[in-house]
Amino acid sequence: MTEPHTPRRRPTLVAVGHGSRDPRARATLSRLLDRVRELRPGLDVRLAHIELNAPLLDATLAELAAEGRDAVLVPLLLAPGHHVTHDLPAALAAVPALRARLAAPLGAHPLLVEALADRLAQAGWTPGDGDSPATGIVLASAGSRDPRSGAETRRIAALLGERLGGVPVLPAYASAAAPTVPEAVRVLTARGRHRIAVASCFTAPGLFATRAAAHAPWIASDPLGAHPALARLVLHRYDTAPRPTTRGRELATV
């Protein structure tokens, strides 16, 4: 007698945050993943961190391997950088028993831009501000020495500027890259842009987001957090993660 076929379980979605000493960060990412679960009932969704917060990624991957689960890692990071291109593949390589794939970082996507624009609106940005010759935006992000990270951040800035009616949006960085937020503010000021907003291109509150907001001459948006569009983007990255190749695990290209 042939035994009935048991459908294979969907891979666990492991959302990977950086980790922060700010206690709001973990709570914010947990709320984001609650939204993801609401959008995809029945999907096993787990939060892991590269450092500073539990559960750490290494422990989560070992737990999944012991459970015999497959996994898709979705970096809750905005652009390629050392964590995405080195740390996450290394963590997967350390658990060869786990069948896992690595999705692309959140990156330049209309859903990300939707969340950025909405957070700016919540901070006080209006449709008329996009038409004003006095306004400008600094897109503040973490920063990386990887040139691919800077290129991706510039694409996000360009998309945000287009969505807001052509207002100039200059990328700026909290570390490892230039310009800094104050430097970008000075560039816009020199162009006659005196109403300058800081768009927080961070997934959760933390030291970098707080510092960036403190340099805003006018308004600063909150981090993206549990925005509904960000939850949809997390699922999009999960759904479009590359299939394994004969070379083993593969990093999705942005």
Side-chain angles (χ1 to χ4, degrees), residues 174-246:
S175 69
T180 64
V181 172
E183 288 169 344
V185 167
R186 287 195 291 271
V187 170
L188 286 170
T189 301
R191 298 179 185 175
R193 304 276 175 170
H194 302 293
R195 283 167 59 84
I196 301 171
V198 170
S200 184
C201 197
F202 302 97
T203 52
L207 179 62
F208 286 168
T210 300
R211 285 179 175 174
H215 292 298
W218 175 34
I219 58 174
S221 63
D222 288 336
L224 300 167
H227 194 282
L230 200 67
R232 298 200 304 274
L233 180 54
V234 169
L235 282 171
H236 172 72
R237 293 304 187 206
Y238 169 84
D239 290 337
T240 57
R243 298 292 175 184
T245 68
T246 55

Side-chain angles (χ1 to χ4, degrees), residues 134-158:
T135 57
I137 296 173
V138 173
L139 180 73
S141 65
S144 170
R145 293 183 178 86
D146 190 321
R148 293 170 293 182
S149 178
E152 189 69 8
T153 306
R154 289 190 294 273
R155 285 193 285 270
I156 296 170

Side-chain angles (χ1 to χ4, degrees), residues 42-114:
L43 179 63
D44 184 20
V45 179
R46 306 190 193 187
L47 175 63
H49 301 89
I50 297 169
E51 58 185 6
L52 298 175
N53 296 126
L56 290 172
L57 178 59
D58 292 347
T60 298
L61 296 182
E63 182 180 71
L64 288 168
E67 295 173 8
R69 299 298 302 260
D70 296 351
V72 175
L73 273 61
V74 179
L76 299 180
L77 303 168
L78 280 303
H82 187 77
H83 291 311
V84 173
T85 61
H86 179 269
D87 291 343
L88 299 190
L92 288 177
V95 191
L98 178 65
R99 288 170 50 91
R101 293 177 279 138
L102 181 55
L106 300 175
H109 189 279
L111 287 169
L112 179 69
V113 175
E114 177 183 337

